[in-house]
């Protein structure tokens, strides 16, 4: 039996808490700081997750056996190192890589160099700093439009700029490097070739030696229907991805996943935790757009309901290095996740609205994100309010259920995309 602490507060963490709470191996579950949803399946703790000392004190006081880190920031800042390097804390099982592994997400330049060293397909690129600004502009001239510029460091998901003209791209490079448009995160900028294709998210869990693939998903990032308007944290997700058939997934495994795991080992990076491959399917061939060192949101809300195996056993095996002895059971059903957001998101929005209709929801799972308070009438407290996931043998049926329930839940300013999964029907 284990006492488990999850770090984070989004829909991803509600889904993790929901799945972990079902495990016969979990005796007590804490979520820091959590949200109105995690409090339904565990105990929310008012902890600053970026204050590792406080997390360490809590872990000792409550005899926590395992920590599951939801977001990337604590990992990039070294929470796994903090625990591993402290004699009083190193016995705690940590699901999440150390800083060296988390750099796959924390530094886009590092990730690109890693891919180049290990022969992993990705867009052609070069990295530039203030000192090499002019070389950067010359490199841009060698690429066809549009142009992709990426701030090296974490920039709250906003560090990628796609410019349609050469002039605009040069100006953006100037803004990022000289005017520090993203602060320190853009002291180095990766300039890369634009890849034309369809994106998908592939997930794996690794234990430093081996890995298991988890379900893959397609995320819908733009706020508007038909993928228009600004990027958001994610407006919906579908799993599995119909175009990610066996042939394509074999390529993903052989060209991307295996070389990544082997490369980490070769470079002495002991990687335990989730790995998220943001891929572009370019005419049937996978290219890595980005690595993330965590699960995706809202993909988690679509993929965890499809995992039949006990998640706690899987997480424990990842932390202990015994994944090879486990099998991951993945359900064949489709999961369709629709995200309800606050009106105005991802721009300015109002919050504090009462949510009604939750008790009328049938045949779907609700994963709360920007919701606070308890009971059946929580208040909106963020941009992404909740994810509604349904499972069914057919995609259209899973979507029908999620949309029916999206209509039943209500609050002032409710918005959601009505075309999630539409592009995948008939594939
Ligand atoms: P990120 O913030 O790293 O998730 O990137 C934001 C989005 O930019 C990705 O989801 C892609 O849609 C797009 N993107 C990033 N790199 C490329 C690329 N090389 N070619 C085309 N689109 C890209
Ligand atoms: N859904 C994309 C992400 O979590 O980064």
């Amino acid at each position: 039996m284990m006492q488990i602490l999850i770090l984070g507060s989004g829909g991803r963490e509600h889904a993790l808490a929901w799945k972990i709470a079902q495990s016969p191996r979990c005796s007590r579950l804490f979520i820091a700081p959590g949200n109105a949803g995690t409090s339904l399946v565990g105990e929310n703790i008012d902890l600053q997750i970026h204050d590792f000392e406080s997390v360490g004190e809590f872990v000792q006081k409550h005899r926590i056996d395992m920590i599951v880190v939801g977001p990337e920031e604590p990992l990039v800042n070294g929470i796994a190192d903090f625990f591993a390097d402290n004699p009083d804390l190193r016995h705690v099982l940590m699901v999440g890589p150390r800083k060296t592994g988390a750099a796959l997400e924390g530094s886009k330049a590092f990730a690109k160099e890693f891919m180049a060293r290990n022969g992993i397909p990705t867009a052609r690129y070069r990295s530039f700093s203030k000192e090499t600004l002019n070389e950067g502009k010359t490199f841009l001239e060698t690429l066809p439009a549009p142009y992709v510029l990426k701030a090296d460091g974490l920039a709250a998901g906003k560090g990628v700029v796609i410019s349609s003209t050469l002039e605009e791209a040069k100006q953006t490079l100037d803004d990022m490097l000289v005017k520090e448009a993203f602060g320190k995160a853009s002291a180095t900028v990766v300039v890369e070739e634009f890849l034309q294709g369809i994106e998908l998210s592939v997930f794996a869990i690794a234990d430093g030696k081996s890995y298991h693939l988890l379900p893959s998903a397609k995320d819908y990032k733009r706020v508007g229907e038909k993928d228009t308007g600004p990027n958001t944290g994610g407006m919906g997700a579908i799993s599995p991805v119909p175009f990610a058939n066996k042939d394509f997934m074999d390529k993903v495994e052989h060209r991307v996943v295996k070389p990544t795991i082997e490369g980490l080992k070769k470079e002495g990076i002991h990687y335990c935790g989730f790995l998220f491959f943001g891929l572009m399917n370019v005419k049937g061939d996978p290219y890595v757009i980005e690595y993330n060192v965590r699960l995706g949101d809202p993909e988690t809300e679509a993929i965890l309901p499809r995992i039949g195996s006990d998640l706690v056993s899987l997480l424990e095996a990842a932390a202990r290095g015994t994944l090879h002895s486990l099998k991951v059971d993945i359900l064949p059903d489709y999961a369709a996740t629709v995200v309800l957001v606050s009106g105005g998101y991802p721009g300015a929005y109002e919050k504090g609205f009462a949510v009604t209709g939750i008790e009328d929801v049938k045949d779907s799972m609700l994963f709360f994100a920007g919701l606070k308070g308890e009971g059946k009438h929580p208040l909106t407290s963020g941009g992404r309010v909740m994810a509604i996931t349904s499972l069914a043998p057919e995609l259209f049926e899973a979507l029908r259920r999620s949309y029916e329930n999206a209509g039943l839940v209500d609050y002032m300013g409710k918005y959601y995309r009505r075309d999630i999964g539409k592009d995948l029907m008939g594939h």
Side-chain angles (χ1 to χ4, degrees):
M1 290 299 262
M2 282 207 260
Q3 309 225 73
I4 300 171
L5 170 64
I6 299 174
L7 303 184
S9 62
R12 168 181 52 209
E13 285 75 20
H14 184 187
L16 279 165
W18 164 84
K19 182 76 180 156
I20 287 173
Q22 291 167 20
S23 172
R25 308 211 33 236
C26 175
S27 54
R28 200 163 173 196
L29 176 61
F30 297 98
I31 307 93
N35 63 33
T38 58
S39 70
L40 301 173
V41 289
E43 299 167 56
N44 285 355
I45 311 296
D46 190 14
L47 257 186
Q48 292 294 328
I49 64 171
H50 302 297
D51 175 358
F52 302 158
E53 295 277 352
S54 303
V55 178
E57 275 167 33
F58 179 84
V59 161
Q60 274 186 294
K61 189 161 164 222
H62 290 85
R63 299 179 184 280
I64 299 296
D65 302 295
M66 180 159 76
I67 301 183
V68 184
V69 186
E72 66 280 10
E73 221 179 315
L75 296 167
V76 171
N77 291 334
I79 193 166
D81 306 74
F82 178 85
F83 272 73
D85 296 342
N86 184 324
D88 296 328
L89 296 171
R90 70 166 56 117
H91 63 279
V92 180
L93 297 171
M94 177 67 69
V95 182
R98 284 180 176 235
K99 234 176 176 169
T100 45
L104 282 180
E105 178 165 1
S107 165
K108 293 205 177 347
F110 171 78
K112 295 294 282 191
E113 287 155 20
F114 175 88
M115 287 185 256
R117 283 196 295 274
N118 291 288
I120 295 161
T122 187
R124 197 156 62 89
Y125 81 105
R126 276 184 60 190
S127 301
F128 301 97
S129 62
K130 207 175 350 189
E131 290 70 38
T132 54
L133 172 67
N134 286 330
E135 287 167 48
K137 290 184 177 172
T138 311
F139 180 64
L140 279 169
E141 287 166 8
T142 70
L143 298 176
Y147 306 89
V148 183
L149 289 90
K150 300 183 171 181
D152 175 54
L154 293 185
K158 298 187 171 64
V160 177
V161 181
I162 299 182
S163 304
S164 48
T165 67
L166 184 59
E167 275 322 296
E168 194 186 303
K170 286 183 176 176
Q171 185 58 50
T172 304
L173 187 63
D174 218 279
D175 291 346
M176 288 171 106
L177 290 175
V178 183
K179 302 207 185 91
E180 299 183 356
F182 298 97
K184 278 203 195 89
S186 66
T188 299
V189 172
V190 169
V191 176
E192 69 179 34
E193 141 193 67
F194 183 85
L195 296 173
Q196 194 81 53
I198 316 181
E199 278 183 77
L200 76 155
S201 309
V202 169
F203 298 94
I205 185 161
D207 70 355
K209 292 178 268 192
S210 61
Y211 68 90
H212 283 300
L213 279 187
L214 301 176
S216 54
K218 184 171 187 287
D219 173 22
Y220 292 77
K221 287 200 171 99
R222 303 293 199 93
V223 73
E225 285 165 22
K226 299 208 170 94
D227 292 328
T228 53
N231 261 328
T232 69
M235 299 295 294
I238 299 296
S239 176
V241 185
F243 64 78
N245 54 22
K246 177 154 182 353
D247 182 40
F248 181 77
M249 288 309 291
D250 281 347
K251 289 182 191 169
V252 170
E253 208 162 349
H254 288 106
R255 297 181 191 172
V256 176
V257 182
K258 280 202 171 110
T260 299
I261 300 292
E262 289 308 315
L264 287 165
K265 275 197 272 187
K266 213 161 49 202
E267 301 191 9
I269 299 173
H270 186 73
Y271 193 107
C272 295
F274 295 109
L275 243 175
F276 166 163
F277 304 87
L279 303 179
M280 190 73 89
N281 174 347
V282 183
K283 299 193 186 104
D285 288 316
Y287 287 78
V288 178
I289 297 232
E290 62 171 353
Y291 287 113
N292 293 309
V293 298
R294 52 173 172 83
L295 288 177
D297 197 346
E299 291 98 322
T300 306
E301 293 93 302
I303 70 170
L304 288 188
R306 297 191 54 232
I307 296 181
S309 320
D310 176 48
L311 188 63
V312 172
S313 304
L314 201 59
L315 298 174
E316 181 183 7
R320 288 196 195 279
T322 56
L323 272 181
H324 63 275
S325 63
L326 279 188
K327 236 184 97 251
V328 184
D329 178 23
I330 295 175
L331 310 181
D333 279 359
Y334 277 92
T337 300
V338 174
V339 177
L340 307 187
V341 304
S342 296
Y345 173 81
Y349 56 84
E350 285 184 61
K351 48 194 181 184
F353 298 121
V355 179
T356 58
I358 288 174
E359 61 275 22
D360 299 328
V361 169
K362 271 200 243 36
D363 299 329
S364 290
M365 292 155 268
L366 300 186
F367 297 117
F368 292 179
L371 277 177
K372 65 173 189 191
E374 298 200 10
K376 290 196 170 147
H377 298 283
L379 301 178
T380 63
S381 64
R384 283 191 290 178
V385 171
M386 71 172 78
I388 303 179
T389 297
S390 313
L391 286 176
E394 303 290 345
L395 178 56
F396 77 88
E397 177 59 18
L399 282 164
R400 194 194 61 73
R401 288 185 196 168
S402 288
Y403 276 119
E404 190 173 307
N405 289 314
L408 294 177
V409 173
D410 206 14
Y411 53 88
M412 192 88 85
K414 175 179 77 168
Y415 171 75
Y416 56 97
R417 271 178 66 164
R418 288 164 203 264
D419 67 339
I420 302 300
K422 260 196 184 156
D423 56 322
L424 301 176
M425 305 283 266
H427 264 265

